[in-house]
Amino acid sequence: MQLQPDFDLTGRNTLGLRSRARFGVVIERPEDLAAAAEAARAKGLPLRILGGGSNTLASEQVEAVVGVMRIEGRQIVTLPDSGRAVTAGAGEDWDEIVAWTIAQGHGGLENLSLIPGTMGAAPVQNIGAYGLQLSDLLYSVTAWDGASGAFHTFGPEDCRFGYRKSRFKEAGNRHVITEVTLRLPQPWAPVLIYAGLDTLDASATPEEVRQRVIALRQSKLPDWQVLGNAGSFFHNPVVPPDHAARVPDAPQWPQADGTVKLSAGWLIERCGYKGATRGPAGVYEGHALILVNHGGATAADIDALSSEIRTAVEDCFGVSLVQEPIRL
Ligand SMILES: Cc1cc2nc3c(=O)[nH]c(=O)nc-3n(C[C@H](O)[C@H](O)[C@H](O)COP(=O)(O)OP(=O)(O)OC[C@H]3O[C@@H](n4cnc5c(N)ncnc54)[C@H](O)[C@@H]3O)c2cc1C
């Protein structure tokens, strides 16, 4: 474990923002965390963890020691109740794990195919797509607690999962996830409730569902390696039903507690921002929920556009948008 000064993060965030950290360090083993935290303390800096940088808004100068999570390892395990699960190190690539579990003969993760990033970051924002959330499958999370220096294992009920949130997100940088175990449903049945998957037959295999999800995602989302982006830039806002009734044209999803989730992309598009550009920052022309870097943007460029959009949506619809990517 070696601290690297003036650590370049430009190629380590999917928005491709110009960014450098005071120091960087690669975390390859759980034991590296205590040493990295000690090194950060000695420099008077916080330790911040970075996975694939796909849900990160990286500042131009990051005043921290950035620990790049690279803990590897994966296996299919049998749970105490005889169920099957996949256990993987926090630095494993999420989509590689999805593909690997299917290749091992286990369905369950296929609706979450092609989401960029690492295994360890997946519980932080409770990743979700195509009718499935990580919390539907989570068996346990092992994390290092920066406050006590101890490792803890959390079950699903301890993780306080919600829509794109968890205790790990709430607590900022306190817990560093080192390993995640996800239950692989037995018997497996495809989850085909989402538009685009509902035309598949109930006899579809996990690989067929995966390929459909990949095709749908590739048709809607820009490839971050070609056009820098962080996926959905804002959460879909959840509002009381009387508020939702005032925007009857907006796509709406009633929630179990009586509130209504609105389409943030629709609200932004109605404010005229689809395809808008502000210097090197812009809104993707194919989907108003995605902010993009046309080349050379910094976090300040994205911040300015994001703030303009939030003000416009607040003025037009009285809705406060919450940003999804986390500031580094
Ligand atoms: C094109 C595109 C499409 C996307 N589609 C979706 C989607 O469909 N659904 C969805 O939910 N998300 C989506 N995302 C967002 C993103 O892929 C996920 O949030 C992903 O889980 C982030 O993983 P990461 O490793 O890149 O996290 P990073 O961006 O590196 O980190 C995100 C946050 O998690 C923290 N973190 C990272 N690793 C750890 C760890 N081991 N322990 C503790 N904290 C940690 C970081 O400190 C940071 O605060 C998309 C992003 C892109 C670019």
Side-chain angles (χ1 to χ4, degrees), residues 12-23:
R12 295 181 186 270
N13 72 95
T14 62
L15 265 161
L17 301 176
R18 271 203 328 270
S19 170
R20 303 189 84 82
R22 287 279 300 284
F23 296 92

Side-chain angles (χ1 to χ4, degrees), residues 201-223:
D201 197 74
S203 64
T205 64
E207 183 59 25
E208 283 165 351
V209 178
R210 171 171 166 78
Q211 291 309 325
R212 176 65 66 89
V213 169
I214 289 173
L216 286 165
R217 291 182 70 93
Q218 286 176 337
S219 71
K220 289 183 192 165
L221 300 171
D223 178 352

Side-chain angles (χ1 to χ4, degrees), residues 49 51-56 116-118 121 125 127-128 175 177 217 229 231 326:
I49 298 298
S54 63
N55 206 28
T56 289
T118 54
Q125 84 144 358
I127 58 168
H175 295 108
I177 295 170
R217 291 182 70 93
N229 73 89
I326 298 166

Side-chain angles (χ1 to χ4, degrees), residues 12 14-15 48-57 69 90-91 94 112-130 143 164 168-169 172-173 175-178 217 221-224 229-232 290 324 326-328:
R12 295 181 186 270
T14 62
L15 265 161
R48 300 287 306 270
I49 298 298
L50 185 69
S54 63
N55 206 28
T56 289
L57 188 63
M69 177 51 70
W94 169 260
L112 304 178
S113 291
L114 214 63
I115 297 179
T118 54
M119 189 71 169
V124 175
Q125 84 144 358
N126 186 20
I127 58 168
Y130 293 94
R164 301 293 179 272
F168 310 108
K169 197 171 195 177
N173 311 301
H175 295 108
V176 181
I177 295 170
T178 53
R217 291 182 70 93
L221 300 171
D223 178 352
W224 63 266
N229 73 89
S232 303
I290 300 172
E324 193 169 301
I326 298 166
R327 187 69 182 226
L328 178 65

